[in-house]
Amino acid sequence: MKEQEKEKDEQVIDQHRRQLLKLSAGTIAGVGAVAGAGSWIKHRVEGVEQDGYPVEISPSFKRKDQRDVLLTFAGSKALGEKHPERNLSLSNDADGPAKSGEKSFNFQKGIYQFATAHTRADNNKVGYTQLDYALEQACWHGMNILAPLESMGVPNQGTFGWDQSEVKKEKYPFKDSVEILSAIKTAAKTFGAVRVGICKRDKRWDYDPLYDLTQEKTLTWEEDFPFEPKSVIVMLTDMDYDAMATAPMIPASATAAMGYTQNTIQGGGMAKFLRELGYMAVGSGNDLGSSVSYAIAAGLGEGARNGALIAPNLGPRVRISKVYTNLELDDAAYDKPRDFGILTFCENCKRCAESCPGNAISMDDKPSMSSTFAGSDDPDYNWQGQPGMRKFHNDAKKCFKFWCDNGGDCGACIASCPWNKPDFWHHRLIDASNTFTAGPVHTMMKQADILFGYGNTNDEKAVEKFWRSGFSGDFT
Amino acid sequence: MMGLMWYLLGMVTTGAIWGYVYLQRRYNLNWKANLGLFFAFAFAWICIGWSWGSFAEGEPQSGAMGLLNFGLPALILALFTWRKFIQPESK
Ligand code: SF4
Ligand code: SF4
């Protein structure tokens, strides 16, 4: 009897042991799987480093002549006189190329209309009142004093000046590239930048020749620029979420203007910092070269369908400043471009294109090497296009025309983008999932974004919410 | 505001663990019951986090959608699991 009981006890103990073993094995496998998946997701979210520039560039790609940059052309009387065909090509009444008998859009008159819009504020029109324009003008004020007309691409202005006479004779004795990198990134943080990256100077992204519309004069890198740049430091500043949510109304223009003002402080500050350390440096905003291309090269984000940079966690709600310097780092110390899965998302999204009041954004399914919009074959119409780069080529002229009609710089393609979200945990969760999912899931996420009430444009309630945002929540 | 949410979610999680231990002692929880409880808890957790976050950021539509899309499945799953897999298995 005792024998039987002992045997039974042993059987029970054995069974427990087996269960425990199973449970431990299950737990270890579970923890292993979660840790593996976690590190893979982290790797995707932080961006997968790319060996070269992540966008296909054809051998026939040509550097951009700044005289073909839309804002430079629009701001220049001389260029308007030199290229009368450009002012005859865009229809003033309909979208796209002007047909015979249609009135055409004049870029120089357009920019005047845009720049004087605040004088026509209408207190009966939500989002375009004296209050809205007062804020917009106040936000431009800093840039207008610190680096006037930098948003128009005028080089050598204020804090972005080219004068190198104050460069310290003695270079600071940095130990190595890591110490330099750390100093630059810490300085960027101090200037208020939300992201910073450093890449090699790449002539492909620089305008050539440069153009100063205030003097109606072309400038060259070789003869006029004060030194040969070796590296470019790229900094991002973010724009206010609530203000951008009012796009295309004027509070959205105000936060964009504030972005420009911050650019002049951050880019100008970084250039000054480097000159104090004994290196030549020039800060830059919309002048000198393509900020989006440099930001991609510095690993800060990806070029999106709406033509803007999309930075992880911030979306396209950023402004970019850059600093050209003769400081050089070891090859390994430069930031590398990264793939965050953003352009793949764009292929299935198109929300910005659907929301664009100027119908300026491409609705193509895939990026292409040149423009595909109506009139893109006609050089008199597509004078500002830049073929030879695989991206979504948009019709910037239609965008600009809307700005002039609107009296503010729109931003609907920023506000509507599913990547544009404030800093709350559930948005970071969705951002993370978007980096490794694909195809139909992306389409579904875009639809969910609409259903959940995000990305609305022309929303009068957003204006009301914006003007209360300083008086509620954590801010006060 | 968000700090309070994380604090409450911590309390909810602790409460859920206690509740689970109690259920395990009182009922024979098979794998279906465990799975049902896990997903009901996960949906409820996301529902609170999502909706709270959305209301805090001033997006009531997203908050309401969070309640509907995560809260409702959590409730249905919990009830279904209770009726089908837990109640009939009392020790
Ligand atoms: S700023 Fe406005 S008009 Fe221009 S591309 Fe974006 S949405 Fe279209
Ligand atoms: S709205 Fe969609 S398509 Fe447009 S930039 Fe954002 S993610 Fe890309």
Side-chain angles (χ1 to χ4, degrees):
Chain A
M1 190 67 186
K2 271 196 175 169
E3 279 286 298
Q4 267 179 345
E5 265 177 23
K6 202 178 158 201
E7 210 170 280
K8 208 174 164 192
D9 277 355
E10 270 173 8
Q11 267 178 358
V12 170
I13 291 170
D14 251 17
Q15 211 177 349
H16 278 157
R17 265 197 206 128
R18 269 203 298 275
Q19 265 179 352
L20 199 70
L21 214 66
K22 259 197 215 164
L23 206 67
S24 317
T27 311
I28 290 169
V31 169
V34 169
S39 71
W40 183 75
I41 291 170
K42 187 168 177 279
H43 169 69
R44 291 291 317 185
V45 171
E46 285 175 355
V48 181
E49 265 189 18
Q50 306 290 296
D51 287 335
Y53 195 72
V55 176
E56 184 188 342
I57 307 290
S58 92
S60 62
F61 176 82
K62 285 201 194 80
R63 291 169 73 179
K64 185 129 182 159
D65 182 331
Q66 198 183 337
R67 290 169 294 190
D68 297 337
V69 172
L70 202 143
L71 285 175
T72 303
F73 174 74
S76 162
K77 190 164 174 269
L79 291 177
E81 282 162 4
K82 192 176 168 209
H83 295 287
E85 75 287 355
R86 294 182 179 179
N87 281 325
L88 296 171
S89 66
L90 177 66
S91 170
N92 197 44
D93 312 316
D95 274 341
K99 298 190 189 83
S100 68
E102 268 178 4
K103 202 174 160 229
S104 59
F105 176 78
N106 182 295
F107 287 85
Q108 286 74 33
K109 283 185 186 154
I111 200 129
Y112 178 76
Q113 192 184 336
F114 175 75
T116 55
H118 63 279
T119 61
R120 296 184 294 278
D122 178 352
N123 287 345
N124 294 315
K125 199 173 166 195
V126 177
Y128 297 86
T129 64
Q130 186 181 356
L131 178 71
D132 301 304
Y133 275 113
L135 184 67
E136 188 220 31
Q137 289 301 302
C139 289
W140 280 121
H141 192 52
M143 187 207 78
N144 288 343
I145 288 175
L146 293 170
L149 295 177
E150 77 87 353
S151 60
M152 295 279 294
V154 178
N156 197 4
Q157 299 280 299
T159 56
F160 291 168
W162 290 6
D163 179 21
Q164 301 295 309
S165 58
E166 60 171 9
V167 174
K168 286 279 179 301
K169 297 233 159 28
E170 296 287 313
K171 282 195 169 60
Y172 178 78
F174 283 113
K175 275 203 303 283
D176 51 24
S177 286
V178 176
E179 202 186 10
I180 302 177
L181 208 60
S182 179
I184 288 174
K185 296 205 171 192
T186 307
K189 183 165 74 78
T190 314
F191 302 141
V194 290
R195 298 274 198 293
V196 58
I198 308 176
C199 60
K200 285 189 182 172
R201 187 256 181 134
D202 188 331
K203 287 184 180 171
R204 290 176 299 178
W205 319 138
D206 295 333
Y207 301 142
D208 186 41
L210 302 162
Y211 191 75
D212 180 348
L213 64 87
T214 60
Q215 301 180 56
E216 302 288 11
K217 189 178 155 194
T218 53
L219 304 162
T220 67
W221 286 91
E222 294 73 22
E223 280 160 31
D224 302 295
F225 198 73
F227 59 92
E228 198 192 342
K230 300 286 181 198
S231 309
V232 176
I233 300 163
V234 190
M235 285 172 286
L236 304 185
T237 191
D238 59 344
M239 295 180 273
D240 183 69
Y241 177 81
D242 291 316
M244 193 48 79
T246 68
M249 292 180 261
I250 301 309
S253 305
T255 192
M258 199 58 218
Y260 280 107
T261 289
Q262 276 155 351
N263 280 351
T264 61
I265 295 167
Q266 290 162 14
M270 182 62 78
K272 172 78 176 161
F273 176 61
L274 291 168
R275 292 195 294 265
E276 289 292 318
L277 292 170
Y279 298 94
M280 300 209 214
V282 167
S284 156
N286 281 358
D287 55 322
L288 302 186
S290 162
S291 298
V292 172
S293 302
Y294 271 117
I296 296 170
L300 299 179
E302 282 184 58
R305 180 186 291 274
N306 59 7
L309 177 89
I310 290 193
N313 298 354
L314 296 164
R317 198 169 27 88
V318 291
R319 291 279 149 195
I320 310 169
S321 65
K322 50 200 187 296
V323 176
Y324 289 75
T325 174
N326 67 348
L327 173 146
E328 270 183 291
L329 300 174
D330 296 335
D331 271 5
Y334 284 105
D335 290 300
K336 307 275 178 306
R338 284 162 190 267
D339 174 2
F340 300 94
I342 290 166
L343 197 59
T344 324
F345 188 93
C346 281
E347 289 177 8
N348 297 291
C349 173
K350 303 183 183 173
R351 179 110 196 252
C352 52
E354 289 156 3
S355 310
C356 173
N359 289 326
I361 300 178
S362 165
M363 282 290 278
D364 294 350
D365 291 333
K366 295 270 174 199
S368 54
M369 293 302 276
S370 57
S371 321
T372 55
F373 49 76
S376 52
D377 299 336
D378 177 2
D380 284 349
Y381 180 77
N382 193 12
W383 50 269
Q384 92 306 333
Q386 193 178 26
M389 181 187 277
R390 189 167 295 284
K391 63 172 191 171
F392 290 105
H393 293 261
N394 299 328
D395 194 345
K397 300 180 295 299
K398 290 206 244 169
C399 168
F400 179 69
K401 180 178 172 296
F402 177 76
W403 287 20
C404 302
D405 296 341
N406 182 47
D409 47 6
C410 185
C413 50
I414 298 175
S416 61
C417 179
W419 295 91
N420 163 44
K421 290 286 186 304
D423 196 14
F424 282 86
W425 78 276
H426 50 307
H427 299 312
R428 299 295 80 86
L429 186 78
I430 298 298
D431 285 357
S433 80
N434 285 341
T435 57
F436 61 83
T437 49
V441 182
H442 286 165
T443 314
M444 194 185 85
M445 291 315 246
K446 169 212 164 181
Q447 294 301 344
D449 212 54
I450 300 170
L451 276 174
F452 277 67
Y454 291 103
N456 297 330
T457 54
N458 253 321
D459 181 0
E460 294 191 354
K461 280 204 199 103
V463 179
E464 210 180 293
K465 188 182 163 201
F466 164 69
W467 279 111
R468 276 191 279 108
S469 62
F471 199 56
S472 62
D474 294 339
F475 186 71
T476 41
Chain B
M1 186 83 160
M2 289 307 284
L4 181 63
M5 183 196 87
W6 292 118
Y7 177 70
L8 285 178
L9 274 178
M11 295 212 332
V12 166
T13 308
T14 315
I17 293 169
W18 277 1
Y20 177 72
V21 169
Y22 167 78
L23 284 177
Q24 219 185 20
R25 285 201 181 140
R26 187 114 199 258
Y27 301 92
N28 282 322
L29 297 183
N30 59 19
W31 68 270
K32 287 178 203 157
N34 275 312
L35 209 65
L37 285 175
F38 174 76
F39 278 109
F41 170 73
F43 271 113
W45 202 93
I46 293 177
C47 168
I48 299 171
W50 187 288
S51 305
W52 190 300
S54 298
F55 286 117
E57 67 175 329
E59 296 285 356
Q61 188 174 334
S62 170
M65 289 295 280
L67 288 172
L68 194 74
N69 285 283
F70 306 119
L72 203 61
L75 215 63
I76 292 170
L77 206 60
L79 275 175
F80 182 78
T81 309
W82 172 256
R83 288 260 168 91
K84 284 266 175 200
F85 307 124
I86 303 179
Q87 225 176 16
E89 299 284 329
S90 58
K91 279 179 184 170

